[in-house]
């Protein structure tokens, strides 16, 4: 029913014996009140960009009709201006608090490595500082859409954040606002696929034995470039024909068998390293692990 919502009219309104009676204000249709048998509640109801808003303004007579009307007008103005109303629930957990707890628990259970946890925290600090101050139930699809637009030139970063925070919402048994916002498609760059003959020709043409054998041994063993860079002389056992990797991507120690060809290549590198008093098998100018750019295949630090 429609009625000019005032304290006087609410006092004279007959309460229903069961269910609720919805009253819409004559002047401001977004200002509404639900009258039940024992409770009367004010609401602000509107929509924007195909999204419905229904904000609880409080109960009458704890809050007067005039106060509820003023708050409804203010909230409605915010929504029409494209802003999302922030009505924080008392004691609600902020996104930052929930995120920190999620990372701490996953680290404790060895589900992620410390390096991965630090990467998550750095990403949060860089892109989610403002959202981190809001409680989990305050964040809406509009906020995620705005974040998506800010990161439109970095779709992989948005995809990473979306997966990272969806996990936070799952751990708190809340629906994630990230799910309804799709990840932007990226255009694939034209890449030249090199056949093995051309690859071998380029590798064997390299004058630097460190970089040449690095590429050959990576291909022979299947070891990731990041692990191969940090191999030391004591990690290679030529008698047993094994390679020890102290820390892999899964944070585990691995011992791999080596073929005769791989042993010959490692033997050449170890002698080359010992002659220059280096501790690393694949070393750079300052006796540090080889800095190898895996995307370009080019390295300027090898000696």
């Amino acid at each position: 029913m429609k009625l000019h919502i005032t304290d006087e009219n609410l006092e004279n309104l007959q309460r229903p014996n069961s269910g609720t009676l919805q009253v819409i204000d004559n002047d401001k249709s977004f200002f509404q009140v639900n009258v039940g048998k024992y409770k009367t509640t004010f609401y602000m109801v509107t929509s924007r960009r195909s999204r419905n808003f229904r904000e609880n303004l409080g109960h009458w007579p704890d809050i007067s009709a005039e106060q509820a009307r003023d708050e409804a007008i203010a909230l409605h103005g915010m929504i029409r201006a494209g802003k999302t109303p922030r009505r924080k629930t008392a004691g609600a957990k902020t996104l930052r608090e929930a995120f920190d707890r999620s990372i701490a628990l996953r680290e404790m259970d060895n589900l992620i490595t410390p390096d991965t946890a630090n990467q998550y925290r750095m990403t949060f600090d860089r892109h989610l500082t403002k959202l981190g101050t809001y409680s989990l139930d305050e964040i809406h699809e509009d906020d995620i859409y705005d974040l998506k637009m800010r990161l439109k030139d970095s779709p992989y970063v948005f995809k990473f954040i979306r997966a990272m925070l969806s996990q936070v919402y799952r751990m708190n048994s809340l629906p994630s606002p990230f799910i309804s916002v799709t990840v932007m498609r990226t255009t694939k760059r034209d890449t030249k696929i090199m056949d093995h003959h051309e690859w071998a020709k380029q590798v064997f043409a390299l004058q630097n034995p460190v970089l040449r054998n690095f590429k050959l041994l990576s291909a022979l063993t299947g070891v990731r470039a990041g692990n191969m860079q940090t191999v030391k002389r004591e990690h290679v056992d030529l008698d047993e024909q094994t390679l020890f990797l102290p820390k892999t991507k899964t944070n585990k120690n691995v011992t791999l068998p080596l073929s005769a060809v791989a042993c010959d290549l490692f033997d050449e590198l170890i002698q080359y390293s010992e002659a220059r008093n280096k501790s690393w098998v694949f070393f750079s100018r300052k006796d540090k692990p080889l800095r190898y750019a895996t995307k370009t295949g080019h390295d300027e630090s090898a000696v």
Side-chain angles (χ1 to χ4, degrees):
M1 63 176 293
K2 288 195 172 184
L3 179 72
H4 185 60
I5 299 175
T6 62
D7 290 335
E8 182 180 355
N9 287 339
L10 290 176
E11 284 183 9
N12 297 329
L13 196 65
Q14 185 176 0
R15 292 181 175 274
N17 293 324
S18 61
T20 57
L21 174 65
Q22 185 182 47
V23 179
I24 301 174
D25 188 69
N26 280 333
D27 186 27
K28 306 291 183 183
S29 60
F30 55 82
F31 180 41
Q32 301 178 12
V33 61
N34 279 6
V35 181
K37 186 176 181 179
Y38 303 105
K39 186 167 61 176
T40 301
T41 308
F42 296 109
Y43 289 96
M44 190 285 304
V45 181
T46 189
S47 62
R48 181 175 69 88
R49 281 169 53 179
S50 303
R51 181 186 165 195
N52 297 323
F53 292 85
R54 180 181 173 86
E55 299 291 333
N56 187 325
L57 305 175
H59 302 298
W60 181 82
D62 297 337
I63 178 175
S64 68
E66 193 63 30
Q67 290 173 322
R69 182 189 299 274
D70 291 341
E71 187 168 358
I73 292 172
L75 287 173
H76 184 261
M78 288 177 60
I79 293 171
R80 302 312 296 175
K83 299 179 181 179
T84 302
R86 307 289 176 190
R87 299 176 56 78
K88 188 170 182 178
T89 306
K93 188 183 298 182
T94 65
L95 178 63
R96 180 82 220 200
E97 293 169 348
F99 169 78
D100 288 339
R101 177 168 173 76
S102 169
I103 295 300
L105 289 174
R106 294 174 71 187
E107 271 192 289
M108 190 182 304
D109 294 337
N110 293 323
L111 296 177
I112 56 175
T113 64
D115 290 342
T116 302
N118 288 334
Q119 184 183 6
Y120 284 169
R121 293 187 181 102
M122 288 172 60
T123 302
F124 193 102
D125 292 339
R126 184 173 182 180
H127 301 288
L128 300 166
T129 304
K130 183 178 179 181
L131 276 182
T133 61
Y134 300 146
S135 65
L136 293 177
D137 54 2
E138 283 184 291
I139 299 173
H140 304 296
E141 289 85 351
D142 287 349
D143 301 307
I144 312 307
Y145 182 80
D146 292 341
L147 175 65
K148 175 182 174 180
M149 290 298 100
R150 290 205 311 270
L151 296 173
K152 63 181 179 180
D153 295 329
S154 305
Y156 292 108
V157 176
F158 177 76
K159 184 177 181 180
F160 179 80
I161 292 174
R162 183 173 181 259
M164 178 178 73
L165 294 187
S166 293
Q167 175 73 20
V168 173
Y169 274 85
R170 281 196 297 271
M171 292 185 68
N172 287 273
S173 302
L174 291 172
S176 172
F178 289 82
I179 298 301
S180 59
V181 181
T182 58
V183 179
M184 291 172 287
R185 293 184 178 180
T186 56
T187 56
K188 294 184 178 179
R189 292 179 294 179
D190 294 333
T191 55
K192 181 182 178 182
I193 300 176
M194 188 184 302
D195 62 38
H196 63 281
H197 294 293
E198 186 177 355
W199 178 85
K201 183 178 179 181
Q202 290 190 12
V203 171
F204 283 109
L206 293 172
Q207 298 298 316
N208 188 302
V210 176
L211 188 55
R212 181 181 66 243
N213 286 9
F214 177 87
K215 292 190 174 187
L216 290 172
L217 285 166
S218 296
L220 286 169
T221 61
V223 175
R224 296 174 66 250
N227 294 124
M228 189 65 82
Q229 289 168 352
T230 56
V231 171
K232 293 186 176 182
R233 293 202 301 265
E234 58 265 28
H235 295 158
V236 183
D237 190 335
L238 296 177
D239 295 330
E240 297 293 331
Q241 294 189 335
T242 58
L243 171 63
F244 176 70
L245 301 176
K247 186 178 180 181
T248 62
K249 187 177 181 180
T250 57
N251 209 24
K252 295 180 180 179
N253 301 332
V254 176
T255 301
L256 299 176
L258 295 175
S259 65
V261 176
C263 286
D264 291 341
L265 293 173
F266 267 121
D267 188 26
E268 177 187 353
L269 282 173
I270 290 173
Q271 293 181 33
Y272 190 77
S273 173
E274 287 177 341
R276 287 157 180 77
N277 196 26
K278 305 291 185 180
S279 56
W280 307 93
V281 174
F282 305 100
F283 56 88
S284 61
R285 294 186 181 93
K286 297 182 180 180
D287 194 20
K288 292 183 178 180
L290 176 69
R291 291 189 295 107
Y292 177 68
T294 56
K295 290 185 178 180
T296 62
H298 180 66
D299 176 78
E300 297 180 351
S301 66
V303 296

